[in-house]
Amino acid sequence: MVQIKEFRIVMPMSLEEYQVAQMYMVAKMQQQNSNGDEGVDVLENRPFEHDVFGRGQYTFKVYRFQSKAPAWLKTFAPADALVMHEEAWNSYPRCKTVIKCPYFTKFSLTIETVHKADNGRSDNVHNLSEEQLAARQVEVLDIASTARDYWSYAIASNNVDFSKFKSKRTGRGPLSEGWQDRCNPVMTAYKLVTIDAPYWGFGYRLEQALLAGECALFLESHRNCFGWIDEWFGMTMQQIREIEQQSGSSLNERLGKPTSMTTKEGFESRCFL
């Protein structure tokens, strides 16, 4: 059964700041979570252009995090079945990500993200139909929350207490109860996750596990965006692109994989969605 769930993550920063924060966070988390056996292979990272989405950055990555999979899934799925392929089209403030698993060929997971300068109260930023709205579940994630579950322990490493944290460079924080309604600047990442695993006997369980995993990943990554604010604040997009390029190259060197990195000079000949 296809499941549709919208996660809303409110952030104490502007849209412009979040774009830098997100790119810095992705590069740093990939470095932290990769080793010789598991991690992220960045196979492509290049500009694209599309009639509807405009210009943006396309990435193709392979994720190998078999050790983080639930025990019940490991009992019947081989190690290579837990490898995920991710294609992403980032045309900020909109982004689309498609995740597939070569072993489970019918499985599909799509994440459509809209970033908006509000505090998470917009009802239909994805322009869903009445039928889709009826099927959609909404969950608001609080980066200051201390709640934990299996996936947060498997994925999370950020132990910052945001009820006490204060940025030295911006003065933002601490994040006390109800901070989303008081902070300025503020923005929200609206992440619409559509997942379908049409497999009898375990499909629904797989969908639920992956939704929980995405939720924990969204929470951890956005906690890092704010927790690392004193590291990225003030950086330019050019500086972030250089870090991103260096990160992708060094990751694949560590994993022993080739990489395809296309610079802006190759834009016109390699742009498509």
Side-chain angles (χ1 to χ4, degrees), residues 8-15 17-18 21-22 25 92 115-120 140-144 162 172 175 179-180 183-191 218-229 232:
R8 302 178 182 179
I9 310 102
V10 183
M11 297 294 290
M13 59 188 68
S14 69
L15 280 174
E17 290 170 344
Y18 179 84
Q22 183 190 46
M25 171 272 297
Y92 194 78
H115 303 93
K116 192 170 182 180
D118 66 12
N119 62 352
V140 179
L141 303 182
D142 183 358
I143 64 170
F162 287 113
R172 297 174 200 173
L175 302 181
W179 65 269
Q180 299 93 331
C183 72
N184 183 37
V186 66
M187 57 79 58
T188 302
Y190 292 84
K191 293 186 171 290
F218 293 156
L219 194 55
E220 172 71 1
S221 60
H222 286 79
R223 282 174 59 84
N224 286 337
C225 278
F226 185 52
W228 295 335
I229 189 170
W232 58 257

Side-chain angles (χ1 to χ4, degrees), residues 89-129:
W89 296 266
N90 190 346
S91 184
Y92 194 78
R94 306 185 74 90
C95 181
K96 181 177 181 178
T97 302
V98 176
I99 299 174
K100 295 184 177 181
C101 178
Y103 187 82
F104 296 111
T105 57
K106 297 179 182 179
F107 165 82
S108 66
L109 189 156
T110 301
I111 304 169
E112 297 169 276
T113 305
V114 173
H115 303 93
K116 192 170 182 180
D118 66 12
N119 62 352
R121 301 293 176 84
S122 298
D123 186 56
N124 190 16
V125 299
H126 297 281
N127 297 318
L128 301 181
S129 66

Side-chain angles (χ1 to χ4, degrees), residues 164-174 226 229-230 233:
K164 300 176 182 178
F165 173 84
K166 186 170 184 176
S167 165
K168 294 179 181 178
R169 299 188 65 184
T170 68
R172 297 174 200 173
F226 185 52
I229 189 170
D230 289 339
F233 187 79

Side-chain angles (χ1 to χ4, degrees), residues 206-273:
L206 179 61
E207 292 170 355
Q208 290 298 104
L210 290 174
L211 280 172
E214 289 295 333
C215 176
L217 183 58
F218 293 156
L219 194 55
E220 172 71 1
S221 60
H222 286 79
R223 282 174 59 84
N224 286 337
C225 278
F226 185 52
W228 295 335
I229 189 170
D230 289 339
E231 299 178 28
W232 58 257
F233 187 79
M235 282 189 174
T236 65
M237 286 301 295
Q238 179 60 35
Q239 290 173 315
I240 290 294
R241 286 293 181 204
E242 291 173 359
I243 290 174
E244 190 179 50
Q245 294 284 340
Q246 293 167 1
S247 173
S249 297
S250 60
L251 276 174
N252 285 335
E253 287 172 5
R254 192 186 311 171
L255 292 164
K257 305 289 183 181
T259 185
S260 173
M261 297 287 179
T262 303
T263 61
K264 291 186 178 179
E265 286 73 11
F267 187 96
E268 299 298 331
S269 62
R270 296 286 303 278
C271 55
F272 62 89
L273 176 56

Side-chain angles (χ1 to χ4, degrees), residues 30 39-41 61-65 82-86:
Q30 286 179 178
V40 186
D41 295 350
K61 302 175 183 178
V62 176
Y63 288 84
R64 294 180 174 86
F65 290 124
L82 306 177
V83 174
M84 299 290 184
H85 291 181
E86 177 200 271

Side-chain angles (χ1 to χ4, degrees), residues 3-29:
Q3 297 194 56
I4 303 174
K5 189 162 187 177
E6 182 179 291
F7 296 93
R8 302 178 182 179
I9 310 102
V10 183
M11 297 294 290
M13 59 188 68
S14 69
L15 280 174
E16 295 74 19
E17 290 170 344
Y18 179 84
Q19 185 177 16
V20 173
Q22 183 190 46
M23 294 175 67
Y24 180 87
M25 171 272 297
V26 169
K28 185 169 179 176
M29 285 187 69

